[in-house]
Amino acid sequence: DVVIRGENVIKEYQTGTQTVRALKGIDFGIRPSDFVAIVGPSGSGKSTLLNLLGLLDVPTEGTVRLRGTDVSTFSDSDRTTKRKHTIGFIFQSFYLIPTLTALENVEMPRMLDKTPVKTRERATDLLQRVGLGDRLDHYPDELSGGQKQRVAIARSLINDPAILLADEPTGNLDRDTGDQILALFDELRAEEDVAVVTVTHDSYVADRADRVVNLVDGDVKNDGEPASGEGDH
Ligand code: ADP
Ligand code: ADP
């Protein structure tokens, strides 16, 4: 029941005549309702790994499989479609559109949807789930930081993703608000089997994860955390 698995994943970037090996042959596996934290110093390959997990990129060598299928065999448009239906993205800055209400922001990824009534129902339901049922018609600058992050999380869930990929999701938030976001992740994992994978510099967040992938210079450093990077447990 692994959603995404990586085997001996190598990722290189070519800049001019220089080759940078950002990931040096790592293994990983993400299962439903996992909570995985990716930690490591700047330049260690965290964003590169997030991009591969998010189907934004493919490995140079090795294999990334989405539910068993090698992602390198997908065309770009297949990969985009799979991404849309498998992955939700949450960033530190929320990228909400200031001229749209909370509800419209959540509906945004499905603006071209053929059944707008269903989209509206789902968006309303999601905003209620994240505790913003009374803020549907508020604009982003009428919302607090934690409320904006919760709108962004609701938006990331509009297509029922199997995996939520987050980059410092509590980075700009105070501890209480961060706790609300972490509690929401726990709820989504328990109730909808959503897997959460987050890059974080905050040990408070990493301590809440059930697996920590510690990257150092493109390798998974085995730091004694349970099954770091292995995905088999
Ligand atoms: P982190 O997110 O941990 O800071 P990154 O995955 O961004 O690490 O980067 C890993 C390595 O790959 C770094 O040496 C970085 O300079 C290099 N790198 C990342 N993206 C690119 C790119 N688009 N072109 C060239 N080198 C890159
Ligand atoms: P929090 O403690 O969650 O960070 P705030 O203290 O920032 O919340 O805001 C408290 C309440 O005031 C929130 O319900 C929010 O919707 C509302 N609010 C915050 N900023 C504005 C604003 N610029 N305009 C209208 N309402 C706001």
Side-chain angles (χ1 to χ4, degrees):
D1 58 345
V2 180
V3 184
I4 293 190
R5 179 188 288 290
E7 288 155 2
N8 195 22
V9 169
I10 293 172
K11 181 65 193 180
E12 291 177 343
Y13 297 104
Q14 205 75 44
T15 37
T17 57
Q18 249 205 331
T19 302
V20 175
R21 189 167 275 208
L23 293 176
K24 297 178 176 170
I26 68 167
D27 299 314
F28 51 83
I30 308 296
R31 290 182 170 73
S33 75
D34 272 353
F35 185 6
V36 179
I38 301 171
V39 304
S42 177
S44 60
K46 301 184 297 297
S47 310
T48 300
L49 177 54
L50 212 59
N51 287 344
L52 291 172
L53 287 170
L55 308 178
L56 293 163
D57 209 347
V58 293
T60 311
E61 289 175 46
T63 346
V64 173
R65 292 179 192 283
L66 173 66
R67 297 197 171 94
T69 307
D70 183 346
V71 302
S72 299
T73 66
F74 294 142
S75 67
D76 282 355
S77 76
D78 277 354
R79 196 145 48 80
T80 302
T81 306
K82 299 283 186 198
R83 179 191 315 131
K84 199 176 147 189
H85 293 285
T86 314
I87 312 288
F89 293 94
I90 310 168
F91 301 96
Q92 180 172 5
S93 23
F94 323 108
Y95 300 116
L96 297 179
I97 296 174
T99 54
L100 299 181
T101 65
L103 185 63
E104 291 164 346
N105 266 284
V106 174
E107 292 175 336
M108 234 273 295
R110 285 174 61 167
M111 215 159 56
L112 303 177
D113 200 276
K114 292 198 182 75
T115 51
V117 176
K118 281 219 171 102
T119 297
R120 176 131 303 190
E121 280 169 8
R122 171 80 176 148
T124 304
D125 176 58
L126 284 169
L127 282 166
Q128 280 161 354
R129 293 279 320 273
V130 302
L132 293 176
D134 56 348
R135 293 288 187 276
L136 303 182
D137 298 323
H138 285 231
Y139 289 88
D141 68 4
E142 299 170 338
L143 298 169
S144 72
Q147 290 171 333
K148 278 189 275 225
Q149 185 59 293
R150 282 184 279 156
V151 173
I153 292 171
R155 181 185 52 189
S156 76
L157 294 168
I158 191 79
N159 286 318
D160 293 315
I163 302 182
L164 271 190
L165 290 183
D167 193 358
E168 300 282 3
T170 61
N172 286 323
L173 307 175
D174 62 41
R175 180 67 18 118
D176 282 350
T177 313
D179 277 336
Q180 285 174 28
I181 302 301
L182 291 172
L184 176 58
F185 286 165
D186 286 341
E187 237 179 82
L188 292 167
R189 294 169 58 214
E191 290 169 18
E192 305 200 8
D193 282 342
V194 177
V196 177
V197 180
T198 182
V199 167
T200 186
H201 286 98
D202 187 349
S203 61
Y204 184 77
V205 175
D207 286 347
R208 296 273 293 260
D210 46 34
R211 270 170 31 233
V212 177
V213 175
N214 188 3
L215 287 177
V216 176
D217 200 19
D219 269 318
V220 176
K221 181 179 153 207
N222 203 325
D223 56 2
E225 288 286 342
S228 61
E230 302 281 313
D232 289 309
H233 52 126

